[in-house]
Amino acid sequence: MDFLQTAKNVDEYIEGHLIGADPVLDLIAQDSEAAGLVPHSVTPLQARFLAMMVSVVDARRVLEVGCLGGYSAVAMARALPESGQLITTEIDTRTAKIAQQNIDRSGFGDRIELKVGPALPTIDAMLEDGDVFDLVFIDADKVNHANYLEAALQLARVGTIIIADNVIRGGAVTDSESQENSVKGVRAMFELAATLKNVEMTALQTVGAKGYDGFAIFRVTEV
Ligand code: DHB
Ligand code: MG
């Protein structure tokens, strides 16, 4: 059996023991697939990790860049207090419609605001409003990974956690010759990260139900 199949089986085993049925997220996954969305949501175990991060930092305001079907948005919003707010962005209007339906049905729609359109102008408007976030999850097009990180840092306070998905790309991240725009985008993010002062950072390679990839995690120590 190949390694990625083994990793899938292990995710299934762990999910069975640590998560079990999750009717709210399971329905979002089902309906996203039925609607033909790309299967790029985080896994159930990764969603639980993101939710735990929201809890650990006692987040009140969360920003997600890249909503897709709303799977991770709902997972994180569930970990917010009732007065908390999660803002998520989606560039594709058809995808956003499906996401909005999923969000409305989840029972957590009161805590989630979906902003339709490209993320960077949306973020610029939030910057002008002086918005600050406790946690930012970057999971949109990988081409702009560095731009999203830069923007997230501007929306941060001391202690803000920024998590960027898909920073390993099956190992392709180390390929300096890669012609893939997503790999170039992720590498640009690491180049930017290397210049950052006042940010603690690490990256964790992940392997599981959705293959081999990883999270970069940043903690702002000074603004
Ligand atoms: C892709 C995007 C994602 O956000 C993800 O988690 C996996 C793959 C992609 O565009 O290939
Ligand atoms: Mg992703």
Side-chain angles (χ1 to χ4, degrees):
M1 200 184 312
D2 73 32
F3 180 62
L4 288 179
Q5 184 59 51
T6 305
K8 262 185 203 175
N9 298 348
V10 171
D11 254 26
E12 211 174 292
Y13 173 82
I14 302 174
E15 277 172 38
H17 287 78
L18 303 191
I19 295 194
D22 185 335
V24 170
L25 291 188
D26 290 349
L27 184 64
I28 294 178
Q30 257 175 41
D31 287 353
S32 298
E33 188 182 350
L37 300 191
V38 288
H40 291 163
S41 306
V42 297
T43 67
L45 293 167
Q46 290 168 349
R48 183 59 57 86
F49 168 74
L50 293 172
M52 286 171 75
M53 293 292 274
V54 170
S55 299
V56 164
V57 305
D58 212 1
R60 296 285 190 273
R61 288 175 52 76
V62 173
L63 170 65
E64 177 179 71
V65 183
C67 181
L68 195 57
Y71 189 92
S72 45
V74 169
M76 289 189 285
R78 286 200 302 202
L80 285 170
E82 248 177 78
S83 60
Q85 194 193 22
L86 180 145
I87 295 175
T88 181
T89 73
E90 176 52 50
I91 191 169
D92 181 70
T93 49
R94 180 180 166 269
T95 301
K97 256 188 204 144
I98 293 152
Q100 191 63 61
Q101 278 169 18
N102 287 339
I103 288 165
D104 291 342
R105 257 194 330 209
S106 73
F108 293 87
D110 56 334
R111 292 176 216 179
I112 302 175
E113 186 184 346
L114 170 56
K115 291 182 185 275
V116 185
L120 288 171
T122 302
I123 292 171
D124 278 347
M126 291 192 288
L127 269 172
E128 277 186 23
D129 292 345
D131 283 2
V132 174
F133 292 89
D134 307 307
L135 187 143
V136 181
F137 180 49
I138 299 171
D139 194 20
D141 62 287
K142 313 314 161 196
V143 174
N144 280 302
H145 243 35
N147 295 329
Y148 298 142
L149 174 58
E150 194 171 28
L153 289 166
Q154 292 181 282
L155 294 163
R157 57 160 171 83
V158 171
T160 291
I161 296 285
I162 301 166
I163 304 173
D165 194 20
N166 309 112
V167 300
I168 306 296
R169 312 303 296 167
V173 64
T174 59
D175 181 4
S176 59
E177 310 285 297
S178 176
Q179 293 307 304
E180 246 184 80
N181 288 333
S182 65
V183 173
K184 289 185 192 172
V186 168
R187 287 177 62 84
M189 187 212 70
F190 278 113
E191 303 265 313
L192 169 63
T195 69
L196 295 177
K197 310 272 186 279
N198 312 324
V199 181
E200 293 174 349
M201 46 199 167
T202 189
L204 298 175
Q205 303 189 59
T206 58
V207 61
K210 299 270 177 108
Y212 171 33
D213 219 314
F215 288 128
I217 305 176
F218 304 85
R219 180 176 167 276
V220 177
T221 57
E222 224 178 285
V223 289

